[in-house]
Amino acid sequence: MSRIPLIHVTDLYHSPQDPDDQLDLLTVAALPEFDLKAVILDCTQRFLEPAPAGWDVRRDPGYVLVAQLGHILGRTFPCALGPLEPLSSPSDDARSRPRSEQAGIDLLLRSLEASPEPVLISSVGSARIITAAFNRAPDLVRNKTRAVLLNAGATAGEKREWNVGLDPHAYTGLWRSGIRIHWYPCATEQSAFNRKDPRGTYWKASHETLFHDIPEAIRAWIAYGFSGSARGDIISSLTDLGKGAVWEHLLAGERNMWTTASLVMAAGRNLAKTPHGWRFLEAQSTSSLETWPWRLDSINAAVDNETLVKWSVSESETPHKLFGRKEGVGYGEAMAQALNALFQSIPV
């Protein structure tokens, strides 16, 4: 199988700022269609500091979770950190940032340069690292990027979506870069939690459904991250967690999810109903099955100075595409069954 080179840019923290980022990383690693070239940490300073100066509690960039997952799967995931403060303008290349914050941009540029074919870039936080990299090497980034899977923004409305608010200049700069964008908006005109909207990526599921019967090592990894464990034995702990009272408490929770469709669609899979339930299956194998239709529509799009993307569907091919799906709240139940089955399939 010809695998798709992918760079995953994620606002992954430990302790979690939002645990869905850990599950997005697991989804990337679980899809064999992807050749994961790098995981780049798109963190923001205010989430690394405790209140009152920061957001709430002290966190670290999520290096430990990337290292643990690589150990479990027997794989190597190059990982680095990008700039921690928002860009000063859409053209900011972040060269003025501390040396410790340059590695993420450098890793992105090196990975693109080394790839013999264009690379998918999955963005599940701000667009800071991608935009700064483009501002340093626009031809390289434009020519070597197959598309950015942009999980951010709203299809309409005046309220600024969370990921956009992390770095408005980065979001604006990315849309104006000319890079191909596959847009998976995290919010619609109504809100970021609308489960019915045909342009909405949002769905919700119980942890009990998502984590049913998944491999023990993956359970332990999820428990380590979701609980914000401070254990220093990051490998030995993977044999101790994922069971007992901590795990039972975790199973009682729920999870808001947005990014899953972007990754599954990029892997060339459909959401299809089988005799065993909903599954993510290779598109060519679903012709005789019921599917939950989804698509990418070509759009004409431009971003204004307030980060609002004004768009319209185009009848001709364009560099920018927008997610669409069949309307309905049943989408969440189908996604939960299929993602659980994908997690169950991970070879460990």
PDB file of all heavy atoms in Angstrom, residues 203-206 208-212 214 260 271-280 330-345:
ATOM      1  N   TRP A 203     -19.139  16.020  17.105  1.00  0.00           N
ATOM      2  CA  TRP A 203     -19.933  14.907  17.612  1.00  0.00           C
ATOM      3  C   TRP A 203     -19.505  14.616  19.037  1.00  0.00           C
ATOM      4  O   TRP A 203     -18.474  15.114  19.511  1.00  0.00           O
ATOM      5  CB  TRP A 203     -19.809  13.677  16.721  1.00  0.00           C
ATOM      6  CG  TRP A 203     -18.433  13.132  16.533  1.00  0.00           C
ATOM      7  CD1 TRP A 203     -17.462  13.623  15.693  1.00  0.00           C
ATOM      8  CD2 TRP A 203     -17.862  12.001  17.188  1.00  0.00           C
ATOM      9  NE1 TRP A 203     -16.327  12.851  15.783  1.00  0.00           N
ATOM     10  CE2 TRP A 203     -16.541  11.855  16.690  1.00  0.00           C
ATOM     11  CE3 TRP A 203     -18.330  11.080  18.124  1.00  0.00           C
ATOM     12  CZ2 TRP A 203     -15.682  10.849  17.107  1.00  0.00           C
ATOM     13  CZ3 TRP A 203     -17.490  10.060  18.551  1.00  0.00           C
ATOM     14  CH2 TRP A 203     -16.186   9.951  18.038  1.00  0.00           C
ATOM     15  N   LYS A 204     -20.304  13.838  19.727  1.00  0.00           N
ATOM     16  CA  LYS A 204     -20.080  13.585  21.143  1.00  0.00           C
ATOM     17  C   LYS A 204     -20.363  12.133  21.456  1.00  0.00           C
ATOM     18  O   LYS A 204     -21.259  11.527  20.863  1.00  0.00           O
ATOM     19  CB  LYS A 204     -20.996  14.492  21.983  1.00  0.00           C
ATOM     20  CG  LYS A 204     -20.794  14.417  23.482  1.00  0.00           C
ATOM     21  CD  LYS A 204     -21.701  15.434  24.167  1.00  0.00           C
ATOM     22  CE  LYS A 204     -21.468  15.451  25.676  1.00  0.00           C
ATOM     23  NZ  LYS A 204     -22.306  16.488  26.337  1.00  0.00           N
ATOM     24  N   ALA A 205     -19.592  11.562  22.401  1.00  0.00           N
ATOM     25  CA  ALA A 205     -19.790  10.159  22.760  1.00  0.00           C
ATOM     26  C   ALA A 205     -19.330   9.925  24.188  1.00  0.00           C
ATOM     27  O   ALA A 205     -18.515  10.685  24.739  1.00  0.00           O
ATOM     28  CB  ALA A 205     -19.018   9.245  21.815  1.00  0.00           C
ATOM     29  N   SER A 206     -19.826   8.875  24.786  1.00  0.00           N
ATOM     30  CA  SER A 206     -19.374   8.474  26.114  1.00  0.00           C
ATOM     31  C   SER A 206     -18.016   7.788  26.009  1.00  0.00           C
ATOM     32  O   SER A 206     -17.695   7.140  25.009  1.00  0.00           O
ATOM     33  CB  SER A 206     -20.385   7.523  26.751  1.00  0.00           C
ATOM     34  OG  SER A 206     -20.376   6.264  26.081  1.00  0.00           O
ATOM     35  N   GLU A 208     -17.260   5.277  27.724  1.00  0.00           N
ATOM     36  CA  GLU A 208     -17.542   3.846  27.767  1.00  0.00           C
ATOM     37  C   GLU A 208     -17.673   3.274  26.362  1.00  0.00           C
ATOM     38  O   GLU A 208     -17.194   2.173  26.069  1.00  0.00           O
ATOM     39  CB  GLU A 208     -18.817   3.586  28.568  1.00  0.00           C
ATOM     40  CG  GLU A 208     -19.084   2.121  28.830  1.00  0.00           C
ATOM     41  CD  GLU A 208     -20.236   1.900  29.789  1.00  0.00           C
ATOM     42  OE1 GLU A 208     -20.986   2.863  30.049  1.00  0.00           O
ATOM     43  OE2 GLU A 208     -20.386   0.766  30.281  1.00  0.00           O
ATOM     44  N   THR A 209     -18.312   4.038  25.454  1.00  0.00           N
ATOM     45  CA  THR A 209     -18.441   3.597  24.071  1.00  0.00           C
ATOM     46  C   THR A 209     -17.106   3.671  23.343  1.00  0.00           C
ATOM     47  O   THR A 209     -16.694   2.726  22.660  1.00  0.00           O
ATOM     48  CB  THR A 209     -19.482   4.452  23.336  1.00  0.00           C
ATOM     49  OG1 THR A 209     -20.754   4.277  23.953  1.00  0.00           O
ATOM     50  CG2 THR A 209     -19.571   4.064  21.870  1.00  0.00           C
ATOM     51  N   LEU A 210     -16.408   4.779  23.473  1.00  0.00           N
ATOM     52  CA  LEU A 210     -15.168   4.993  22.733  1.00  0.00           C
ATOM     53  C   LEU A 210     -14.075   3.999  23.128  1.00  0.00           C
ATOM     54  O   LEU A 210     -13.276   3.575  22.282  1.00  0.00           O
ATOM     55  CB  LEU A 210     -14.653   6.418  22.961  1.00  0.00           C
ATOM     56  CG  LEU A 210     -15.391   7.553  22.269  1.00  0.00           C
ATOM     57  CD1 LEU A 210     -14.804   8.888  22.683  1.00  0.00           C
ATOM     58  CD2 LEU A 210     -15.327   7.398  20.756  1.00  0.00           C
ATOM     59  N   PHE A 211     -14.033   3.624  24.407  1.00  0.00           N
ATOM     60  CA  PHE A 211     -12.904   2.843  24.901  1.00  0.00           C
ATOM     61  C   PHE A 211     -13.255   1.384  25.174  1.00  0.00           C
ATOM     62  O   PHE A 211     -12.454   0.647  25.756  1.00  0.00           O
ATOM     63  CB  PHE A 211     -12.350   3.482  26.178  1.00  0.00           C
ATOM     64  CG  PHE A 211     -11.950   4.924  26.022  1.00  0.00           C
ATOM     65  CD1 PHE A 211     -12.071   5.814  27.084  1.00  0.00           C
ATOM     66  CD2 PHE A 211     -11.473   5.400  24.813  1.00  0.00           C
ATOM     67  CE1 PHE A 211     -11.706   7.145  26.947  1.00  0.00           C
ATOM     68  CE2 PHE A 211     -11.109   6.732  24.657  1.00  0.00           C
ATOM     69  CZ  PHE A 211     -11.228   7.612  25.725  1.00  0.00           C
ATOM     70  N   HIS A 212     -14.418   0.948  24.726  1.00  0.00           N
ATOM     71  CA  HIS A 212     -14.834  -0.428  24.973  1.00  0.00           C
ATOM     72  C   HIS A 212     -13.877  -1.427  24.317  1.00  0.00           C
ATOM     73  O   HIS A 212     -13.613  -1.367  23.113  1.00  0.00           O
ATOM     74  CB  HIS A 212     -16.250  -0.652  24.426  1.00  0.00           C
ATOM     75  CG  HIS A 212     -16.703  -2.076  24.484  1.00  0.00           C
ATOM     76  ND1 HIS A 212     -16.989  -2.723  25.672  1.00  0.00           N
ATOM     77  CD2 HIS A 212     -16.885  -3.007  23.497  1.00  0.00           C
ATOM     78  CE1 HIS A 212     -17.343  -3.962  25.418  1.00  0.00           C
ATOM     79  NE2 HIS A 212     -17.286  -4.169  24.114  1.00  0.00           N
ATOM     80  N   ILE A 214     -10.730  -1.877  24.069  1.00  0.00           N
ATOM     81  CA  ILE A 214      -9.512  -1.497  23.348  1.00  0.00           C
ATOM     82  C   ILE A 214      -8.307  -2.129  24.040  1.00  0.00           C
ATOM     83  O   ILE A 214      -8.391  -2.560  25.190  1.00  0.00           O
ATOM     84  CB  ILE A 214      -9.353   0.039  23.251  1.00  0.00           C
ATOM     85  CG1 ILE A 214      -9.174   0.668  24.645  1.00  0.00           C
ATOM     86  CG2 ILE A 214     -10.542   0.643  22.528  1.00  0.00           C
ATOM     87  CD1 ILE A 214      -8.923   2.179  24.589  1.00  0.00           C
ATOM     88  N   THR A 260     -12.074  14.019  13.878  1.00  0.00           N
ATOM     89  CA  THR A 260     -12.035  12.652  13.361  1.00  0.00           C
ATOM     90  C   THR A 260     -12.309  12.568  11.861  1.00  0.00           C
ATOM     91  O   THR A 260     -11.608  11.859  11.129  1.00  0.00           O
ATOM     92  CB  THR A 260     -13.041  11.774  14.117  1.00  0.00           C
ATOM     93  OG1 THR A 260     -12.923  12.009  15.522  1.00  0.00           O
ATOM     94  CG2 THR A 260     -12.807  10.308  13.817  1.00  0.00           C
ATOM     95  N   LEU A 271     -17.539   6.279   6.157  1.00  0.00           N
ATOM     96  CA  LEU A 271     -18.268   5.850   7.346  1.00  0.00           C
ATOM     97  C   LEU A 271     -19.417   4.965   6.879  1.00  0.00           C
ATOM     98  O   LEU A 271     -20.365   5.440   6.263  1.00  0.00           O
ATOM     99  CB  LEU A 271     -18.786   7.072   8.105  1.00  0.00           C
ATOM    100  CG  LEU A 271     -19.637   6.841   9.357  1.00  0.00           C
ATOM    101  CD1 LEU A 271     -18.900   6.000  10.388  1.00  0.00           C
ATOM    102  CD2 LEU A 271     -20.071   8.180   9.952  1.00  0.00           C
ATOM    103  N   ALA A 272     -19.322   3.663   7.136  1.00  0.00           N
ATOM    104  CA  ALA A 272     -20.252   2.698   6.556  1.00  0.00           C
ATOM    105  C   ALA A 272     -20.831   1.791   7.631  1.00  0.00           C
ATOM    106  O   ALA A 272     -20.170   1.460   8.626  1.00  0.00           O
ATOM    107  CB  ALA A 272     -19.537   1.852   5.498  1.00  0.00           C
ATOM    108  N   LYS A 273     -22.068   1.349   7.402  1.00  0.00           N
ATOM    109  CA  LYS A 273     -22.756   0.468   8.343  1.00  0.00           C
ATOM    110  C   LYS A 273     -22.598  -0.979   7.907  1.00  0.00           C
ATOM    111  O   LYS A 273     -22.964  -1.357   6.794  1.00  0.00           O
ATOM    112  CB  LYS A 273     -24.231   0.830   8.428  1.00  0.00           C
ATOM    113  CG  LYS A 273     -24.958   0.152   9.575  1.00  0.00           C
ATOM    114  CD  LYS A 273     -26.369   0.702   9.739  1.00  0.00           C
ATOM    115  CE  LYS A 273     -27.036   0.139  10.981  1.00  0.00           C
ATOM    116  NZ  LYS A 273     -28.416   0.687  11.154  1.00  0.00           N
ATOM    117  N   THR A 274     -22.051  -1.784   8.783  1.00  0.00           N
ATOM    118  CA  THR A 274     -21.836  -3.205   8.517  1.00  0.00           C
ATOM    119  C   THR A 274     -22.745  -4.024   9.448  1.00  0.00           C
ATOM    120  O   THR A 274     -23.373  -3.468  10.357  1.00  0.00           O
ATOM    121  CB  THR A 274     -20.372  -3.593   8.784  1.00  0.00           C
ATOM    122  OG1 THR A 274     -20.158  -3.659  10.206  1.00  0.00           O
ATOM    123  CG2 THR A 274     -19.411  -2.581   8.169  1.00  0.00           C
ATOM    124  N   PRO A 275     -22.810  -5.343   9.270  1.00  0.00           N
ATOM    125  CA  PRO A 275     -23.586  -6.161  10.209  1.00  0.00           C
ATOM    126  C   PRO A 275     -23.104  -6.057  11.652  1.00  0.00           C
ATOM    127  O   PRO A 275     -23.833  -6.387  12.588  1.00  0.00           O
ATOM    128  CB  PRO A 275     -23.398  -7.585   9.670  1.00  0.00           C
ATOM    129  CG  PRO A 275     -23.125  -7.394   8.210  1.00  0.00           C
ATOM    130  CD  PRO A 275     -22.342  -6.129   8.119  1.00  0.00           C
ATOM    131  N   HIS A 276     -21.876  -5.587  11.837  1.00  0.00           N
ATOM    132  CA  HIS A 276     -21.297  -5.468  13.178  1.00  0.00           C
ATOM    133  C   HIS A 276     -21.375  -4.047  13.720  1.00  0.00           C
ATOM    134  O   HIS A 276     -20.890  -3.785  14.825  1.00  0.00           O
ATOM    135  CB  HIS A 276     -19.845  -5.929  13.159  1.00  0.00           C
ATOM    136  CG  HIS A 276     -19.660  -7.295  12.591  1.00  0.00           C
ATOM    137  ND1 HIS A 276     -20.074  -8.436  13.246  1.00  0.00           N
ATOM    138  CD2 HIS A 276     -19.133  -7.707  11.402  1.00  0.00           C
ATOM    139  CE1 HIS A 276     -19.800  -9.501  12.511  1.00  0.00           C
ATOM    140  NE2 HIS A 276     -19.235  -9.086  11.383  1.00  0.00           N
ATOM    141  N   GLY A 277     -21.960  -3.124  12.955  1.00  0.00           N
ATOM    142  CA  GLY A 277     -22.047  -1.734  13.376  1.00  0.00           C
ATOM    143  C   GLY A 277     -21.335  -0.823  12.392  1.00  0.00           C
ATOM    144  O   GLY A 277     -20.839  -1.242  11.341  1.00  0.00           O
ATOM    145  N   TRP A 278     -21.275   0.457  12.733  1.00  0.00           N
ATOM    146  CA  TRP A 278     -20.625   1.443  11.862  1.00  0.00           C
ATOM    147  C   TRP A 278     -19.115   1.286  11.923  1.00  0.00           C
ATOM    148  O   TRP A 278     -18.541   1.051  12.988  1.00  0.00           O
ATOM    149  CB  TRP A 278     -21.019   2.851  12.280  1.00  0.00           C
ATOM    150  CG  TRP A 278     -22.450   3.185  11.971  1.00  0.00           C
ATOM    151  CD1 TRP A 278     -23.530   3.026  12.782  1.00  0.00           C
ATOM    152  CD2 TRP A 278     -22.950   3.719  10.734  1.00  0.00           C
ATOM    153  NE1 TRP A 278     -24.676   3.430  12.143  1.00  0.00           N
ATOM    154  CE2 TRP A 278     -24.352   3.863  10.884  1.00  0.00           C
ATOM    155  CE3 TRP A 278     -22.355   4.097   9.530  1.00  0.00           C
ATOM    156  CZ2 TRP A 278     -25.159   4.368   9.863  1.00  0.00           C
ATOM    157  CZ3 TRP A 278     -23.162   4.600   8.522  1.00  0.00           C
ATOM    158  CH2 TRP A 278     -24.538   4.732   8.693  1.00  0.00           C
ATOM    159  N   ARG A 279     -18.478   1.409  10.751  1.00  0.00           N
ATOM    160  CA  ARG A 279     -17.039   1.253  10.653  1.00  0.00           C
ATOM    161  C   ARG A 279     -16.467   2.262   9.658  1.00  0.00           C
ATOM    162  O   ARG A 279     -17.162   2.737   8.761  1.00  0.00           O
ATOM    163  CB  ARG A 279     -16.672  -0.169  10.173  1.00  0.00           C
ATOM    164  CG  ARG A 279     -17.118  -1.293  11.104  1.00  0.00           C
ATOM    165  CD  ARG A 279     -16.358  -1.290  12.409  1.00  0.00           C
ATOM    166  NE  ARG A 279     -16.672  -2.440  13.243  1.00  0.00           N
ATOM    167  CZ  ARG A 279     -17.618  -2.454  14.182  1.00  0.00           C
ATOM    168  NH1 ARG A 279     -18.380  -1.361  14.379  1.00  0.00           N
ATOM    169  NH2 ARG A 279     -17.817  -3.533  14.918  1.00  0.00           N
ATOM    170  N   PHE A 280     -15.169   2.565   9.824  1.00  0.00           N
ATOM    171  CA  PHE A 280     -14.435   3.348   8.828  1.00  0.00           C
ATOM    172  C   PHE A 280     -13.801   2.352   7.850  1.00  0.00           C
ATOM    173  O   PHE A 280     -12.857   1.647   8.204  1.00  0.00           O
ATOM    174  CB  PHE A 280     -13.346   4.189   9.491  1.00  0.00           C
ATOM    175  CG  PHE A 280     -13.852   5.218  10.470  1.00  0.00           C
ATOM    176  CD1 PHE A 280     -13.268   5.356  11.719  1.00  0.00           C
ATOM    177  CD2 PHE A 280     -14.902   6.058  10.133  1.00  0.00           C
ATOM    178  CE1 PHE A 280     -13.716   6.309  12.616  1.00  0.00           C
ATOM    179  CE2 PHE A 280     -15.365   7.017  11.032  1.00  0.00           C
ATOM    180  CZ  PHE A 280     -14.770   7.134  12.274  1.00  0.00           C
ATOM    181  N   GLY A 330     -27.610  11.404  14.459  1.00  0.00           N
ATOM    182  CA  GLY A 330     -27.153  10.020  14.406  1.00  0.00           C
ATOM    183  C   GLY A 330     -25.710   9.896  13.962  1.00  0.00           C
ATOM    184  O   GLY A 330     -25.085   8.845  14.158  1.00  0.00           O
ATOM    185  N   TYR A 331     -25.190  10.945  13.363  1.00  0.00           N
ATOM    186  CA  TYR A 331     -23.785  10.990  12.947  1.00  0.00           C
ATOM    187  C   TYR A 331     -22.857  10.684  14.118  1.00  0.00           C
ATOM    188  O   TYR A 331     -21.888   9.930  13.980  1.00  0.00           O
ATOM    189  CB  TYR A 331     -23.499  12.380  12.385  1.00  0.00           C
ATOM    190  CG  TYR A 331     -22.066  12.686  12.050  1.00  0.00           C
ATOM    191  CD1 TYR A 331     -21.458  12.127  10.933  1.00  0.00           C
ATOM    192  CD2 TYR A 331     -21.327  13.585  12.825  1.00  0.00           C
ATOM    193  CE1 TYR A 331     -20.142  12.441  10.604  1.00  0.00           C
ATOM    194  CE2 TYR A 331     -20.019  13.908  12.507  1.00  0.00           C
ATOM    195  CZ  TYR A 331     -19.429  13.329  11.394  1.00  0.00           C
ATOM    196  OH  TYR A 331     -18.141  13.639  11.072  1.00  0.00           O
ATOM    197  N   GLY A 332     -23.159  11.233  15.297  1.00  0.00           N
ATOM    198  CA  GLY A 332     -22.299  11.027  16.455  1.00  0.00           C
ATOM    199  C   GLY A 332     -22.257   9.577  16.899  1.00  0.00           C
ATOM    200  O   GLY A 332     -21.193   9.047  17.229  1.00  0.00           O
ATOM    201  N   GLU A 333     -23.407   8.908  16.908  1.00  0.00           N
ATOM    202  CA  GLU A 333     -23.441   7.502  17.288  1.00  0.00           C
ATOM    203  C   GLU A 333     -22.641   6.658  16.305  1.00  0.00           C
ATOM    204  O   GLU A 333     -21.887   5.754  16.698  1.00  0.00           O
ATOM    205  CB  GLU A 333     -24.887   7.012  17.341  1.00  0.00           C
ATOM    206  CG  GLU A 333     -25.025   5.544  17.724  1.00  0.00           C
ATOM    207  CD  GLU A 333     -26.468   5.063  17.749  1.00  0.00           C
ATOM    208  OE1 GLU A 333     -27.379   5.907  17.626  1.00  0.00           O
ATOM    209  OE2 GLU A 333     -26.678   3.839  17.877  1.00  0.00           O
ATOM    210  N   ALA A 334     -22.794   6.964  15.010  1.00  0.00           N
ATOM    211  CA  ALA A 334     -22.052   6.220  13.995  1.00  0.00           C
ATOM    212  C   ALA A 334     -20.549   6.439  14.134  1.00  0.00           C
ATOM    213  O   ALA A 334     -19.750   5.492  14.051  1.00  0.00           O
ATOM    214  CB  ALA A 334     -22.527   6.639  12.606  1.00  0.00           C
ATOM    215  N   MET A 335     -20.142   7.680  14.369  1.00  0.00           N
ATOM    216  CA  MET A 335     -18.720   7.991  14.521  1.00  0.00           C
ATOM    217  C   MET A 335     -18.139   7.304  15.752  1.00  0.00           C
ATOM    218  O   MET A 335     -17.005   6.803  15.715  1.00  0.00           O
ATOM    219  CB  MET A 335     -18.530   9.498  14.611  1.00  0.00           C
ATOM    220  CG  MET A 335     -18.819  10.258  13.323  1.00  0.00           C
ATOM    221  SD  MET A 335     -17.592   9.961  12.024  1.00  0.00           S
ATOM    222  CE  MET A 335     -16.293  11.090  12.528  1.00  0.00           C
ATOM    223  N   ALA A 336     -18.900   7.272  16.836  1.00  0.00           N
ATOM    224  CA  ALA A 336     -18.398   6.649  18.066  1.00  0.00           C
ATOM    225  C   ALA A 336     -18.164   5.156  17.873  1.00  0.00           C
ATOM    226  O   ALA A 336     -17.128   4.616  18.300  1.00  0.00           O
ATOM    227  CB  ALA A 336     -19.390   6.891  19.201  1.00  0.00           C
ATOM    228  N   GLN A 337     -19.118   4.462  17.229  1.00  0.00           N
ATOM    229  CA  GLN A 337     -18.937   3.039  16.978  1.00  0.00           C
ATOM    230  C   GLN A 337     -17.719   2.782  16.099  1.00  0.00           C
ATOM    231  O   GLN A 337     -16.924   1.868  16.351  1.00  0.00           O
ATOM    232  CB  GLN A 337     -20.182   2.470  16.302  1.00  0.00           C
ATOM    233  CG  GLN A 337     -21.404   2.357  17.187  1.00  0.00           C
ATOM    234  CD  GLN A 337     -22.581   1.751  16.428  1.00  0.00           C
ATOM    235  OE1 GLN A 337     -22.425   1.099  15.397  1.00  0.00           O
ATOM    236  NE2 GLN A 337     -23.784   1.965  16.952  1.00  0.00           N
ATOM    237  N   ALA A 338     -17.587   3.597  15.063  1.00  0.00           N
ATOM    238  CA  ALA A 338     -16.504   3.377  14.107  1.00  0.00           C
ATOM    239  C   ALA A 338     -15.148   3.696  14.715  1.00  0.00           C
ATOM    240  O   ALA A 338     -14.162   2.978  14.469  1.00  0.00           O
ATOM    241  CB  ALA A 338     -16.743   4.224  12.858  1.00  0.00           C
ATOM    242  N   LEU A 339     -15.066   4.761  15.519  1.00  0.00           N
ATOM    243  CA  LEU A 339     -13.776   5.101  16.117  1.00  0.00           C
ATOM    244  C   LEU A 339     -13.376   4.060  17.152  1.00  0.00           C
ATOM    245  O   LEU A 339     -12.201   3.687  17.243  1.00  0.00           O
ATOM    246  CB  LEU A 339     -13.828   6.494  16.749  1.00  0.00           C
ATOM    247  CG  LEU A 339     -12.484   7.035  17.245  1.00  0.00           C
ATOM    248  CD1 LEU A 339     -11.469   7.112  16.104  1.00  0.00           C
ATOM    249  CD2 LEU A 339     -12.648   8.406  17.907  1.00  0.00           C
ATOM    250  N   ASN A 340     -14.325   3.565  17.912  1.00  0.00           N
ATOM    251  CA  ASN A 340     -14.017   2.489  18.854  1.00  0.00           C
ATOM    252  C   ASN A 340     -13.457   1.261  18.127  1.00  0.00           C
ATOM    253  O   ASN A 340     -12.471   0.658  18.564  1.00  0.00           O
ATOM    254  CB  ASN A 340     -15.262   2.112  19.653  1.00  0.00           C
ATOM    255  CG  ASN A 340     -15.065   0.843  20.460  1.00  0.00           C
ATOM    256  OD1 ASN A 340     -15.645  -0.199  20.154  1.00  0.00           O
ATOM    257  ND2 ASN A 340     -14.228   0.909  21.483  1.00  0.00           N
ATOM    258  N   ALA A 341     -14.085   0.900  17.011  1.00  0.00           N
ATOM    259  CA  ALA A 341     -13.598  -0.253  16.247  1.00  0.00           C
ATOM    260  C   ALA A 341     -12.190  -0.002  15.712  1.00  0.00           C
ATOM    261  O   ALA A 341     -11.351  -0.915  15.685  1.00  0.00           O
ATOM    262  CB  ALA A 341     -14.557  -0.562  15.099  1.00  0.00           C
ATOM    263  N   LEU A 342     -11.908   1.233  15.293  1.00  0.00           N
ATOM    264  CA  LEU A 342     -10.562   1.558  14.829  1.00  0.00           C
ATOM    265  C   LEU A 342      -9.557   1.414  15.970  1.00  0.00           C
ATOM    266  O   LEU A 342      -8.477   0.826  15.787  1.00  0.00           O
ATOM    267  CB  LEU A 342     -10.531   2.979  14.267  1.00  0.00           C
ATOM    268  CG  LEU A 342      -9.180   3.459  13.724  1.00  0.00           C
ATOM    269  CD1 LEU A 342      -8.774   2.659  12.488  1.00  0.00           C
ATOM    270  CD2 LEU A 342      -9.220   4.952  13.400  1.00  0.00           C
ATOM    271  N   PHE A 343      -9.899   1.917  17.159  1.00  0.00           N
ATOM    272  CA  PHE A 343      -8.994   1.785  18.311  1.00  0.00           C
ATOM    273  C   PHE A 343      -8.796   0.315  18.681  1.00  0.00           C
ATOM    274  O   PHE A 343      -7.681  -0.086  19.069  1.00  0.00           O
ATOM    275  CB  PHE A 343      -9.550   2.553  19.507  1.00  0.00           C
ATOM    276  CG  PHE A 343      -9.505   4.058  19.367  1.00  0.00           C
ATOM    277  CD1 PHE A 343     -10.240   4.872  20.226  1.00  0.00           C
ATOM    278  CD2 PHE A 343      -8.712   4.678  18.409  1.00  0.00           C
ATOM    279  CE1 PHE A 343     -10.196   6.254  20.128  1.00  0.00           C
ATOM    280  CE2 PHE A 343      -8.668   6.063  18.276  1.00  0.00           C
ATOM    281  CZ  PHE A 343      -9.412   6.857  19.159  1.00  0.00           C
ATOM    282  N   GLN A 344      -9.845  -0.480  18.590  1.00  0.00           N
ATOM    283  CA  GLN A 344      -9.715  -1.911  18.897  1.00  0.00           C
ATOM    284  C   GLN A 344      -8.726  -2.597  17.947  1.00  0.00           C
ATOM    285  O   GLN A 344      -8.078  -3.576  18.328  1.00  0.00           O
ATOM    286  CB  GLN A 344     -11.070  -2.607  18.809  1.00  0.00           C
ATOM    287  CG  GLN A 344     -12.037  -2.303  19.936  1.00  0.00           C
ATOM    288  CD  GLN A 344     -13.282  -3.156  19.848  1.00  0.00           C
ATOM    289  OE1 GLN A 344     -13.248  -4.276  19.338  1.00  0.00           O
ATOM    290  NE2 GLN A 344     -14.400  -2.647  20.353  1.00  0.00           N
ATOM    291  N   SER A 345      -8.617  -2.083  16.728  1.00  0.00           N
ATOM    292  CA  SER A 345      -7.802  -2.740  15.708  1.00  0.00           C
ATOM    293  C   SER A 345      -6.320  -2.432  15.800  1.00  0.00           C
ATOM    294  O   SER A 345      -5.516  -3.003  15.057  1.00  0.00           O
ATOM    295  CB  SER A 345      -8.305  -2.339  14.310  1.00  0.00           C
ATOM    296  OG  SER A 345      -7.941  -0.985  14.009  1.00  0.00           O
TER     297      SER A 345
END
